[in-house]
Amino acid sequence: MEQTMTEIAFQIILYAGNGKSSAMEAIQEAKEGNFEAADKKIEEASEELGKAHKYQTELLQQEARGDGQGVNVILVHSQDHLMTSMTVRDLAIEIIEIYRNK
């Protein structure tokens, strides 16, 4: 059975939040010179964001099939959260490289 849009939105929020947290932890590890740990945290962030993206893709597929349920505030929030988290991860990668080359 397919999940409702709200259930999917909450999954996106969950995994995007996990990804953003891991990316921020990666920056802190790099700041302390722990680059192996920083790289591991970035990997964790990417895995979590991949899970969120999977749920986003499910919504897109539902919409493409004509099974879209409309837009609600929770869905908008989840999309905002995912895009922000992906940006944080991308910036964390760059910040880690700055620390690494310092």
Side-chain angles (χ1 to χ4, degrees):
M1 177 172 17
E2 289 184 5
Q3 294 180 307
T4 68
M5 182 187 321
T6 300
E7 291 170 333
I8 292 171
F10 278 120
Q11 291 299 313
I12 292 169
I13 291 166
L14 168 72
Y15 290 119
N18 290 347
K20 183 168 65 173
S21 292
S22 291
M24 294 302 293
E25 290 170 7
I27 293 170
Q28 291 306 310
E29 291 291 353
K31 189 175 183 178
E32 295 173 12
N34 302 325
F35 298 110
E36 188 173 321
D39 292 340
K40 183 169 176 29
K41 287 292 183 182
I42 287 295
E43 186 177 316
E44 288 174 15
S46 294
E47 288 172 9
E48 292 297 300
L49 292 172
K51 292 173 187 175
H53 189 262
K54 179 182 152 202
Y55 280 100
Q56 181 187 48
T57 300
E58 184 177 331
L59 281 178
L60 293 170
Q61 289 172 342
Q62 286 179 15
E63 185 73 25
R65 287 192 306 268
D67 297 334
Q69 302 171 26
V71 176
N72 64 37
V73 174
I74 295 170
L75 176 62
V76 172
H77 175 65
S78 75
Q79 295 302 296
D80 181 52
H81 203 57
L82 177 56
M83 295 300 103
T84 301
S85 297
M86 292 174 78
T87 300
V88 168
R89 190 259 331 257
D90 293 346
L91 287 172
I93 291 168
E94 295 302 318
I95 291 168
I96 290 165
E97 286 307 306
I98 291 169
Y99 279 121
R100 194 185 316 264
N101 294 321
K102 193 173 170 185

